[in-house]
């Protein structure tokens, strides 16, 4: 009788974690986030300069002229990911609190 060899999922999980780590590391190295933040800051700096020049020239000022609207890039997948993340966070928070209560009751 042949016995089937069980697949070990540990290496698969470790490879998946490694791929996620490399993607996050590559994103950090390329400074994509910092580049976008810098662009927002420079746009804001330009808007501030326009605002100051308009004040000096005595023009009628409206805040909408100087603030660029923020685009909403959410979609179904990002909303699902956000909900899942919130559920996992809540589950882990409650689990950790209960674990500490259990440990505290064991030592007191």
């Amino acid at each position: 009788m042949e016995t089937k060899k069980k697949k070990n999922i540990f290496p698969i999980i470790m490879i998946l974690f490694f791929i996620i780590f490399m993607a996050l590391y590559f994103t950090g190295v390329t400074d994509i986030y910092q580049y976008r933040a810098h662009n927002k800051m420079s746009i804001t700096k330009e808007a501030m300069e326009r605002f100051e020049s308009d004040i000096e020239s005595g023009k009628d000022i409206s805040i909408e002229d100087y603030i660029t609207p923020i685009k909403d890039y959410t979609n179904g997948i990002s909303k699902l990911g956000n909900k899942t993340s919130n559920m996992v966070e809540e589950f882990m928070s409650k689990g950790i609190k209960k674990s500490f209560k259990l440990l505290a009751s064991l030592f007191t």
Side-chain angles (χ1 to χ4, degrees):
M1 216 157 80
E2 288 185 33
T3 59
K4 289 187 177 181
K5 193 173 187 180
K6 291 184 180 179
K7 279 193 168 186
N8 191 0
I9 61 169
F10 181 74
I12 296 170
I13 293 172
M14 293 307 293
I15 291 171
L16 181 65
F17 282 150
F18 180 73
I19 291 170
I20 292 170
F21 170 77
M22 291 304 293
L24 291 173
Y25 180 76
F26 180 72
T27 303
V29 168
T30 56
D31 293 330
I32 293 171
Y33 176 76
Q34 291 176 353
Y35 175 73
R36 288 182 181 167
H38 179 335
N39 282 346
K40 285 182 182 180
M41 183 186 70
S42 63
I43 291 170
T44 305
K45 193 179 286 187
E46 291 170 0
M48 287 173 49
E49 290 171 359
R50 278 190 300 127
F51 177 75
E52 290 171 356
S53 66
D54 288 348
I55 288 178
E56 289 174 359
S57 64
K59 291 184 180 177
D60 190 27
I61 297 173
S62 174
I63 191 69
E64 286 82 25
D65 296 336
Y66 306 101
I67 296 176
T68 56
I70 299 172
K71 293 181 183 178
D72 184 18
Y73 292 106
T74 59
N75 57 26
I77 294 173
S78 64
K79 289 177 184 176
L80 177 67
N82 192 16
K83 286 180 184 179
T84 305
S85 173
N86 290 338
M87 287 174 37
V88 169
E89 177 185 3
E90 184 179 335
F91 175 75
M92 294 300 288
S93 296
K94 287 180 181 178
I96 290 171
K97 286 179 184 177
K98 288 181 182 180
S99 299
F100 280 126
K101 284 182 182 178
L102 177 67
L103 286 172
S105 68
L106 291 175
F107 292 110
T108 57

